[in-house]
Amino acid sequence: MTNRFAVILAAGQGTRMKSKLYKVLHSICGKPMVEHVLDNILKVNTDKIVTVVGHGAELVKTSLGGKSDFVLQEEQLGTAHAVIQAKEVLGNQNGTTLVICGDTPLITAETMEALIKLHESQDAAATILSAYTEKPDGYGRVIRNTNRTVEKVVEHKDASEDERKVKEINTGTYCFDNQALFEALEEVSNDNAQGEYYLPDVIEILKAKGKKVFAFQTPDFDETMGINDRVALAEAERLMRNRINNIHMKNGVTIIDPTNTYVDSDVKIGMDTILYPGTIIKGQTVIGEDCQIGPNSELVNAKIGSETVIRQSVVHDSLVGEKVQIGPFAHIRPQSNIHDDVKVGNFVEIKKSEIGKGSKASHLSYIGDAEVGSNVNLGCGSITVNYNGKSKFLTKIEDNVFVGCNSNLVAPVTIGEGAYIAAGSTITKDVPGESLSIARARQVNKENYVKKLNLNN
């Protein structure tokens, strides 16, 4: 099999984005757009990927981690100038090189593979990824011979009347014979109005040498969209979100209103789960089968067991077991572990806590920095008082404890197995198992007190 390489062009700042963040780092469905490009390249079995960085180089390197080599384009002098920066890494290699822009996140691995296969099967020097559009104005046109190979690529401004009628456009993604590419790059001139070195000129140079140039036309023009401003960013987000939702629905997930359901690209969802409108699922979230999520719920890096229901609630960086009921209006904060058959009701907040199997916090409670055992009942208004203004402390509640309404458990404190806490208590000391703890002022009734007050008036 021929060696495969890829060059990602990611050096531009993207001034039209009007942002302090470099263009290729803007997120689409949970990942920087350049990471989408790289992840799809990884699926086509490349031997080496080289990302050309410039503006925000260190941030781009951090984002892509160890998945790519990097070369620096210190001055942005055009796309051909960007590619030639990779010569130090790829210049002596034999094989096929894919060149793609880091701002084209919608191009799929399937399209990349089809482009490369056509290129390799035809033993071409270059193969252009083209697309058909009814509105080709502004795009370079792909002009074919009668035998359907590429005669030339002509920019819109340079095209003749007949050439402008052509609706097959150059998308700016290419495959090259690696040696032919770097030899041709040495001949690219910057004799143009912008004084830059343009990659499409390589096609003309290869044609002049009698080399074979082909074009693979993608059936989906939307895949080729380049992101240059916030309008295009929003459109790409919409298109990718639609693609993601369709994949989940085809895999057995019910999405009641796909246009109002937002699922990141790396999310995994089990069969027969239902997503209701307004649901936002981000990051590395994994959801089991037969769940109900939403409406208006947000899950971020959460792991949700099967048959769990989460309504109008937020779960961040936490584990939730099977057959759990959460919400409405609950907040599961990071580092929480909610075991099977737990109920977390309305206006309950859980933070960095473990809630054992079958336990319940049905309403209006704060459980922070706590270890809660199995079959514990936390009454309305139960609070673990975990913070003294400087440090956080642990509350430990063992199995089968009953905590009455409006109770404060002042950490560090342990409530022993099977204990009862009377409603309205403020617990500051450990409670032994099987005990009843009452920590409140004794009730005093002063009979006829109101009448005495009236007499005094």
Side-chain angles (χ1 to χ4, degrees):
M1 181 177 174
T2 303
N3 292 328
R4 290 181 176 183
F5 312 105
V7 177
I8 302 174
L9 306 183
Q13 185 173 12
T15 55
R16 281 182 282 175
M17 296 296 288
K18 298 290 193 292
S19 175
K20 297 182 288 296
L21 185 66
Y22 301 105
K23 178 171 72 169
V24 297
L25 295 179
H26 279 265
S27 180
I28 294 177
C29 293
K31 286 196 297 194
M33 64 175 83
V34 69
E35 192 172 346
H36 284 288
V37 174
L38 186 144
D39 285 349
N40 280 319
I41 291 172
L42 289 171
K43 296 175 184 177
V44 298
N45 299 317
T46 45
D47 296 282
K48 188 177 288 292
I49 300 171
V50 180
T51 301
V52 182
V53 295
H55 292 286
E58 293 307 315
L59 291 174
V60 175
K61 290 178 182 180
T62 299
S63 176
L64 299 184
K67 295 188 286 186
S68 173
D69 290 333
F70 299 93
V71 295
L72 179 65
Q73 185 187 21
E74 293 183 0
E75 291 184 89
Q76 277 67 62
L77 299 177
T79 49
H81 180 259
V83 176
I84 207 168
Q85 306 309 307
K87 185 175 181 179
E88 60 186 86
V89 180
L90 298 178
N92 295 323
Q93 301 293 327
N94 292 309
T96 298
T97 297
L98 173 71
V99 178
I100 187 169
C101 294
D103 64 356
T104 55
L106 296 174
I107 297 178
T108 63
E110 291 75 17
T111 294
M112 293 180 190
E113 182 67 31
L115 171 67
I116 294 169
K117 280 187 174 179
L118 175 66
H119 174 82
E120 293 175 343
S121 68
Q122 298 297 324
D123 194 24
T127 305
I128 302 162
L129 180 64
S130 67
Y132 179 90
T133 176
E134 289 292 341
K135 298 178 179 180
D137 287 1
Y139 290 98
R141 305 304 203 280
V142 175
I143 309 301
R144 293 181 183 258
N145 291 322
T146 53
N147 63 2
R148 301 299 294 160
T149 61
V150 174
E151 174 64 28
K152 62 179 177 177
V153 175
V154 59
E155 295 304 313
H156 177 84
K157 64 181 184 299
D158 299 322
S160 67
E161 193 74 25
D162 286 340
E163 288 169 340
R164 290 188 179 188
K165 294 177 182 178
V166 173
K167 295 180 180 179
E168 185 178 13
I169 58 96
N170 177 18
T171 69
T173 296
Y174 307 89
C175 267
F176 294 101
D177 173 86
N178 191 69
Q179 289 295 319
L181 168 64
F182 284 102
E183 288 172 9
L185 284 170
E186 298 292 344
E187 301 180 34
V188 174
S189 167
N190 67 341
D191 185 17
N192 52 60
Q194 286 73 33
E196 295 188 352
Y197 301 86
Y198 294 125
L199 189 59
D201 291 351
V202 169
I203 302 299
E204 185 177 339
I205 292 168
L206 294 173
K207 288 293 296 182
K209 292 181 176 182
K211 303 288 187 179
K212 291 192 292 187
V213 177
F214 286 80
F216 172 78
Q217 186 179 118
T218 175
D220 184 0
F221 174 74
D222 288 338
E223 276 194 36
T224 68
M225 177 188 294
I227 313 303
N228 291 313
D229 57 27
R230 305 292 182 125
V231 176
L233 184 70
E235 177 63 8
E237 175 91 20
R238 182 187 68 81
L239 291 167
M240 186 170 287
R241 185 170 70 245
N242 183 61
R243 180 190 295 174
I244 291 167
N245 286 348
N246 285 344
I247 290 170
H248 285 299
M249 288 188 286
K250 289 176 181 178
N251 287 334
V253 176
T254 296
I255 302 179
I256 302 298
D257 183 0
T259 60
N260 288 295
T261 303
Y262 307 85
V263 181
D264 278 359
S265 57
D266 290 337
V267 169
K268 295 178 174 58
I269 307 175
M271 189 170 58
D272 291 319
T273 284
I274 302 173
L275 306 183
Y276 289 93
T279 292
I280 301 170
I281 307 176
K282 296 182 177 181
Q284 305 293 320
T285 296
V286 178
I287 301 172
E289 297 183 354
D290 301 293
C291 295
Q292 297 179 43
I293 311 296
N296 304 314
S297 293
E298 179 182 84
L299 311 182
V300 181
N301 298 322
K303 185 174 181 180
I304 311 298
S306 296
E307 299 183 60
T308 285
V309 177
I310 300 174
R311 296 179 293 153
Q312 289 109 344
S313 295
V314 174
V315 181
H316 276 213
D317 296 281
S318 293
L319 304 176
V320 177
E322 297 185 351
K323 299 181 181 179
V324 174
Q325 301 282 322
I326 295 179
F329 313 117
H331 187 183
I332 311 300
R333 290 170 57 189
Q335 300 183 58
S336 295
N337 185 2
I338 313 299
H339 289 240
D340 297 346
D341 300 305
V342 167
K343 180 180 179 182
V344 179
N346 51 290
F347 303 106
V348 173
E349 181 176 353
I350 297 175
K351 171 253 177 186
K352 198 178 179 181
S353 294
E354 184 147 352
I355 310 297
K357 182 176 181 179
S359 291
K360 297 178 181 179
S362 294
H363 28 234
L364 298 164
S365 294
Y366 170 70
I367 311 300
D369 297 283
E371 295 177 4
V372 179
S374 300
N375 301 311
V376 170
N377 184 83
L378 298 167
C380 178
S382 297
I383 295 174
T384 60
V385 185
N386 59 331
Y387 185 48
N388 68 357
K390 292 184 179 180
S391 302
K392 302 289 179 69
F393 297 93
L394 176 70
T395 297
K396 186 172 183 179
I397 304 173
E398 296 181 354
D399 296 345
N400 303 309
V401 167
F402 183 94
V403 179
C405 294
N406 199 35
S407 294
N408 299 308
L409 309 180
V410 183
V413 70
T414 297
I415 312 301
E417 183 173 353
Y420 270 61
I421 306 299
S425 294
T426 296
I427 304 298
T428 59
K429 297 179 181 179
D430 292 350
V431 176
E434 305 295 332
S435 299
L436 169 64
S437 183
I438 305 172
R440 61 192 184 206
R442 184 179 297 275
Q443 181 173 328
V444 177
N445 296 328
K446 296 187 176 183
E447 296 183 7
N448 299 317
Y449 186 73
V450 174
K451 291 181 179 180
K452 291 178 182 179
L453 288 176
N454 289 335
L455 289 174
N456 290 338
N457 289 334

